[in-house]
Amino acid sequence: MEAKFQIMSTQVIKPFTTTPHHLKHFNLSFLDQISPYQYTSVLFFYSASNVSSDDTNFTSLCDNLKASLSNVLTLYYPLCGRIKANAYIDCNDAGVPFIEARVSSHLSSILEYPQVNILKQLLPLDPYEPVFENVNYEELVMMAVKFSKLSCGGVVLGVCMSHKIIDGIGMTSFFNAWVETTKVSGNPTKPCMEASLLFPTKDMHFTTLSAGIVESKELVIARLVFDGTSLSRLRDEIDGYSPTRVEVVTALIWKSMMDATIGSSRGKKPIRSFASHVVNIRGRLVPPFPENSIGNVIQLAVTPLVEMNVEKNVGLKDLVAMVKKAIVGLDVDYVSKLGSDVGFDRFMEFRKKLKFMVSEDIQWSKFSSWTRFPLYEVDFGWGKPTWVSTTIFPIRDNVMLLPTRCGEGIEAWVTLDKEVMVQFESNEKLLQHALVSRAS
């Protein structure tokens, strides 16, 4: 039976304590300014065994979430504001929409074969609409919440947070603080809000790197699940490099994407490709920047260009080495200079090079990883989540890596052109190490 989604109520949650006047103006860093007007989304699924199924208890859960959210927003007050001129946030306490909903579906049905169209309806808004639609950016909320009751008694918490102000690490810190506020003796940590001091706001117009890479072709999404045993076996195949789980999975998926692209053209078209990974640079700054800082304190690690065709292949070990070198290359020397005028100029030249490569019909395999985020520890008092997921940015050659519940595996969401996906999901090497299923 097709799932039905019903919104029961919508309420705007404001900070428990009014934001004082001297904190009303929150400057964006230039790393925030270049970030796209999209939302980082996350979904937490909790089973009925941890949540009472009666309506009274669901109402109580909603009330507790709203109260604790109001409290934590006192610390994270920029999430209640609105962006102005892509330069600062007017922290006007406009608030965060909180939606209560009912879904006529069982948790087991959703988890058996997760589908993107279902996941998106469990979110409070379309996280990518600002990228593709003509919207007034200054009216966009910084955060929204949707809390849904499933017909089996389980619940789903869907959250969207503006990527203009918060990255994956910052999002995780927010959830840690939110969970702390639900505890009787909780002591949430105040976030660091000084990224703009390191990477000062710039008085200039920025375009995002997503501009120009959205395809009109039909895109499809696949979900890959690597268990711990498969990852250990895969890492053992790469002698001499001691790759991390993320590095070896990245290399395997990247290679499979290139093979699939060549295969979809029946070998007639060679491929030029490079891969990138989003890297948290907080710990690479001197002194290290706090992990609970909000803002985009991240950089792209980019590999060299790879050329392949049916006669010229590149080995998995070589790709692992490229990925590892790119990530390590974002060292203390690089990140420490990023906030200077010289560092900024070098950064902008790097962006120009990326845009040129994209315009030259070069495949850009874009990777992000949340595998080290403690998302399965988000317990609001009714137990840890059964499953944590997100929705992937709908552009071609995009990959999101997530942890599995046990902590030993990796779940990968991959977006490709339809004809390329046919080749990708039948790749023998990939199928040896992962369970592959269509998600759209």
Side-chain angles (χ1 to χ4, degrees):
M1 185 177 68
E2 184 178 352
K4 294 182 180 180
F5 299 80
Q6 181 182 10
I7 293 177
M8 306 303 295
S9 68
T10 300
Q11 181 179 344
V12 175
I13 308 300
K14 299 189 176 186
F16 183 76
T17 302
T18 302
T19 302
H21 181 74
H22 71 281
L23 298 178
K24 292 287 187 179
H25 188 104
F26 178 83
N27 285 329
L28 299 178
S29 74
F30 73 76
L31 295 178
D32 298 327
Q33 289 178 287
I34 65 168
S35 296
Y37 283 96
Q38 68 183 58
Y39 294 89
T40 300
S41 62
V42 63
L43 289 157
F44 299 93
F45 295 79
Y46 298 90
S47 67
S49 60
N50 298 110
V51 184
S52 175
S53 60
D54 63 87
D55 291 341
T56 302
N57 189 62
F58 180 71
T59 300
S60 176
L61 296 180
C62 285
D63 291 343
N64 290 337
L65 277 179
K66 292 174 185 177
S68 58
L69 178 59
S70 178
N71 284 324
V72 78
L73 287 175
T74 300
L75 300 177
Y76 283 82
Y77 55 88
L79 291 173
C80 293
R82 300 295 183 265
I83 291 178
K84 301 299 180 183
N86 193 31
Y88 69 96
I89 295 177
D90 177 14
C91 302
N92 57 6
D93 292 347
V96 171
F98 189 108
I99 301 169
E100 296 179 36
R102 294 179 185 272
V103 183
S104 63
S105 180
H106 286 67
L107 180 60
S108 58
S109 300
I110 297 174
L111 300 190
E112 185 176 10
Y113 296 106
Q115 294 295 303
V116 171
N117 64 321
I118 298 295
L119 300 184
K120 287 180 68 174
Q121 293 185 78
L122 292 167
L123 291 172
L125 47 79
D126 182 344
Y128 309 111
E129 181 181 10
V131 179
F132 302 114
E133 302 294 334
N134 185 19
V135 300
N136 184 344
Y137 298 134
E138 296 193 355
E139 294 181 356
L140 294 174
V141 299
M142 295 291 96
M143 177 182 174
V145 179
K146 191 173 191 178
F147 193 50
S148 301
K149 178 185 177 184
L150 303 176
S151 54
C152 62
V155 296
V156 183
L157 178 65
V159 179
C160 291
M161 307 179 80
S162 174
H163 212 320
K164 297 295 291 184
I165 186 178
I166 207 157
D167 58 15
I169 289 288
M171 176 196 69
T172 304
S173 296
F174 172 82
F175 282 114
N176 290 340
W178 190 359
V179 165
E180 276 296 307
T181 62
T182 66
K183 301 176 182 178
V184 175
S185 58
N187 185 28
T189 304
K190 184 179 180 180
C192 172
M193 299 189 185
E194 299 179 349
S196 64
L197 299 181
L198 288 179
F199 312 109
T201 311
K202 301 295 181 180
D203 184 15
M204 61 186 296
H205 175 71
F206 291 96
T207 58
T208 66
L209 286 174
S210 59
I213 59 175
V214 180
E215 288 287 300
S216 59
K217 295 180 181 179
E218 183 178 358
L219 298 175
V220 291
I221 299 173
R223 175 175 175 252
L224 287 61
V225 180
F226 299 82
D227 62 27
T229 301
S230 294
L231 290 178
S232 296
R233 191 170 68 247
L234 188 57
R235 293 175 67 189
D236 289 343
E237 295 179 13
I238 312 299
D239 299 327
Y241 288 102
S242 300
T244 64
R245 298 178 307 150
V246 167
E247 289 167 352
V248 74
V249 166
T250 298
L252 177 59
I253 293 177
W254 181 23
K255 178 171 172 53
S256 301
M257 291 165 73
M258 288 190 285
D259 289 338
T261 302
I262 294 172
S264 66
S265 69
R266 298 182 180 179
K268 297 178 181 179
K269 185 179 178 181
I271 185 173
R272 293 184 297 166
S273 175
F274 68 96
S276 67
H277 238 297
V278 178
V279 177
N280 170 28
I281 61 172
R282 289 168 174 81
R284 305 186 188 204
L285 290 162
V286 179
F289 206 55
E291 289 294 293
N292 70 332
S293 60
I294 65 172
N296 290 278
V297 194
I298 52 178
Q299 280 289 277
L300 282 182
V302 179
T303 70
L305 194 64
V306 173
E307 297 189 23
M308 277 180 51
N309 55 44
V310 290
E311 297 177 352
K312 178 186 177 183
N313 209 324
V314 179
L316 184 61
K317 183 184 291 188
D318 295 326
L319 297 180
V320 166
M322 292 181 194
V323 171
K324 180 180 284 290
K325 185 176 180 180
I327 293 174
V328 172
L330 291 178
D331 56 16
V332 170
D333 181 62
Y334 172 82
V335 300
S336 64
K337 296 177 181 177
L338 186 59
S340 67
D341 290 340
V342 173
F344 177 75
D345 291 341
R346 185 170 66 172
F347 171 73
M348 294 305 292
E349 284 299 317
F350 165 72
R351 284 171 57 82
K352 288 180 182 178
K353 182 180 179 181
L354 277 184
K355 289 186 177 182
F356 173 76
M357 293 171 72
V358 171
S359 69
E360 290 294 296
D361 195 30
I362 295 172
Q363 183 194 59
W364 178 9
S365 299
K366 299 162 283 292
F367 289 82
S368 296
S369 174
W370 289 1
T371 55
R372 293 187 177 182
F373 297 176
L375 298 173
Y376 282 92
E377 299 301 314
V378 176
D379 181 355
F380 292 97
W382 58 73
K384 298 178 181 180
T386 299
W387 187 49
V388 179
S389 189
T390 184
T391 53
I392 189 169
F393 191 32
I395 54 176
R396 64 188 174 107
D397 307 322
N398 200 29
V399 184
M400 171 62 80
L401 305 180
L402 298 165
T404 55
R405 189 183 187 191
C406 68
E408 297 180 355
I410 289 179
E411 185 176 312
W413 291 73
V414 182
T415 303
L416 297 171
D417 290 336
K418 187 175 183 179
E419 61 270 24
V420 176
M421 182 63 80
V422 172
Q423 299 289 325
F424 178 83
E425 62 190 1
S426 60
N427 184 287
E428 291 185 8
K429 182 68 173 179
L430 197 62
L431 293 172
Q432 288 175 12
H433 296 282
L435 296 174
V436 182
S437 60
R438 284 281 182 101
S440 71

